[in-house]
Amino acid sequence: MLLRLVYRALWWIVAPLAVVRLWWRGRFEPGYRRHIGERFGFYSTPPYTGRPLIWVHAVSVGETRAAQPLIDALLERYPSHGVLLTHMTPTGRATGESLFGDRVVRCYLPYDMVGPIRRFLKHWRPSVGMVMETEVWPNLIFTCREGGVPLVLTNARMSARSFRRAARFGDAAKPVYGGFSRVLAQSDADAERLRMLGASDVDVMGNLKFDMTPPPALLALGARWRERFGDRKVWLAASTRDGEEAQVLQARAMLASASDVGRRSLLVLVPRHPQRFDEVAAMLEKVRLNYVRRSAWSDDDTPLPADVDVVLGDSMGEMAAYFSAVDVAFIGGSLLPLGGQNLIESCAAGTPVVFGPHMFNFTQASENALAAGAARRVSDAGELASTLADLLINDDKRLAMRTAALLFAKQHQGATARTVTALGRWLDTGFVAPQE
């Protein structure tokens, strides 16, 4: 109880700083300066009085994309319900709008403060809430339980590293994790760690990301890009983080010196965060590489000039197109101890995957991909260069990995259907949270 009171008090200190941070980040992403009132539970629309409402919380872009098959399935199975999609980032909100349009309502989830969360629940009155993957916020959990709103941790994952951090709180963690009405975990290992932290009613559903279907328009766009790249080999560095681009460019230099195929190969470099696009462009200029920005590249069928070394992917929402346009994909966030990024989308496109030693946020998927022959793990920039050289030169090896990647992605599908069935406990009965 004492820790809970301290946590509540800390938020009163942090909240003003959070607003300053929103305004600061808004210098590069104006979306952070919009809808600030929603982050404190104040909404411009009248209180929701429509159909029973299913609430899905997807923090940013990755979680929103992962939620797409689930939301589509819920809309189909429960046409008499509405869906509320909440986010914490402008890019996540923009992705939700792009994917679902007016089929769902959307807003920001308030900060983890009791008053704002109570206003949020009173305004929207969801029948059930689902928070995606790792969103464990104590005040949100306790307030939902007190307000009679079932809260389900969905597509839940708990890495060994995150488990060690959470376990430091000892018994104080148990009422937090035990406050979820149900936990739907990605894997047996995730489920066991969550149980050890106090979660009850835990079931393994698999990973929703395997059920993601790349939009046909993006696949077609990627195919057009591939034609424009010509006959040279193309590799992707996807969702790179600060400090990784230097290693990727080091690997590119080694690759270029190793063979003619490597020298002629094209790098498609896509930083994870849009506020770093200009920074990475400056880095490319500093090392005197010829590059073209995706945002400045026309959408006609003009071939890419042969002297272009790098395509800088400074666009949002086109990752499926990037994956489908290349021969091999390196997954960012993995050369540095940042936990990696989702590799499933690349496998679903049939693109062989290479990643670094730090994939602890996606341990199960990465280990399964290695075992299936769909991926290779490297330790540093030098090994990245040699692995890329091997795959770009050897068509048979690359084709075998492509086949393995497609099979791997297909074999692990089905989490969406299992999750929708599990949620029927509340949705099939037409449950509506009580009015305060």
Side-chain angles (χ1 to χ4, degrees), residues 2 33 94 127 129 142 144 147 155 160 175 257 264 271 308 313 326 341 384:
L2 178 60
R33 296 183 176 181
S127 297
F142 293 139
C144 283
N155 211 39
S257 65
R264 294 183 64 246
V308 171
V326 303
Q341 298 295 334
L384 173 61

Side-chain angles (χ1 to χ4, degrees), residues 2-223:
L2 178 60
L3 282 176
R4 185 176 174 183
L5 292 174
V6 170
Y7 180 76
R8 287 186 178 187
L10 285 174
W11 262 108
W12 283 100
I13 299 172
V14 169
L17 301 176
V19 175
V20 173
R21 185 170 182 268
L22 288 175
W23 204 255
W24 182 259
R25 295 194 68 175
R27 296 175 306 145
F28 304 104
E29 295 181 72
Y32 277 103
R33 296 183 176 181
R34 303 188 188 112
H35 311 290
I36 291 179
E38 294 181 0
R39 298 180 184 273
F40 294 90
F42 297 107
Y43 301 94
S44 59
T45 58
Y48 183 82
T49 57
R51 300 173 294 168
L53 197 63
I54 305 169
W55 158 40
V56 180
H57 179 57
V59 178
S60 193
V61 176
E63 294 85 0
T64 305
R65 288 177 177 160
Q68 180 183 2
L70 175 60
I71 292 174
D72 285 338
L74 289 169
L75 288 169
E76 181 178 355
R77 179 162 173 174
Y78 299 100
S80 61
H81 288 60
V83 171
L84 169 66
L85 182 57
T86 60
H87 308 280
M88 292 303 291
T89 69
T91 51
R93 188 169 182 146
T95 300
E97 184 172 2
S98 173
L99 291 175
F100 304 109
D102 60 4
R103 292 189 297 152
V104 308
V105 290
R106 65 186 61 81
C107 68
Y108 286 125
L109 184 69
Y111 291 129
D112 197 35
M113 304 172 70
V114 174
I117 294 168
R118 283 176 177 167
R119 285 192 290 271
F120 166 80
L121 296 176
K122 184 176 181 180
H123 186 96
W124 295 106
R125 297 185 64 216
S127 297
V128 63
M130 288 168 277
V131 292
M132 298 290 290
E133 300 195 2
T134 60
E135 291 304 291
V136 180
W137 294 100
N139 284 333
L140 178 67
I141 295 167
F142 293 139
T143 307
C144 283
R145 180 168 283 268
E146 291 166 0
V149 178
L151 190 64
V152 182
L153 185 60
T154 308
N155 211 39
R157 56 184 172 90
M158 174 60 65
S159 69
R161 184 176 185 177
S162 295
F163 172 77
R164 288 193 295 272
R165 289 176 177 174
R168 293 173 186 168
F169 292 95
D171 289 341
K174 293 183 177 180
V176 176
Y177 286 89
F180 284 110
S181 300
R182 195 168 185 185
V183 174
L184 307 178
Q186 293 185 14
S187 71
D188 290 330
D190 294 315
E192 182 58 28
R193 293 181 188 121
L194 287 161
R195 289 190 189 101
M196 292 173 67
L197 290 172
S200 59
D201 202 355
V202 182
D203 290 296
V204 177
M205 298 286 141
N207 194 332
L208 292 173
K209 292 179 180 178
F210 283 103
D211 293 334
M212 294 168 58
T213 302
L218 288 181
L219 295 180
L221 179 62

Side-chain angles (χ1 to χ4, degrees), residues 229 234-238 266-270 309-313 322 325-326:
F229 293 156
V234 185
W235 62 286
L236 169 69
L266 174 69
L267 165 62
V268 179
L269 177 57
V270 185
D309 302 305
V310 181
V311 172
L312 175 57
Y322 290 119
V326 303

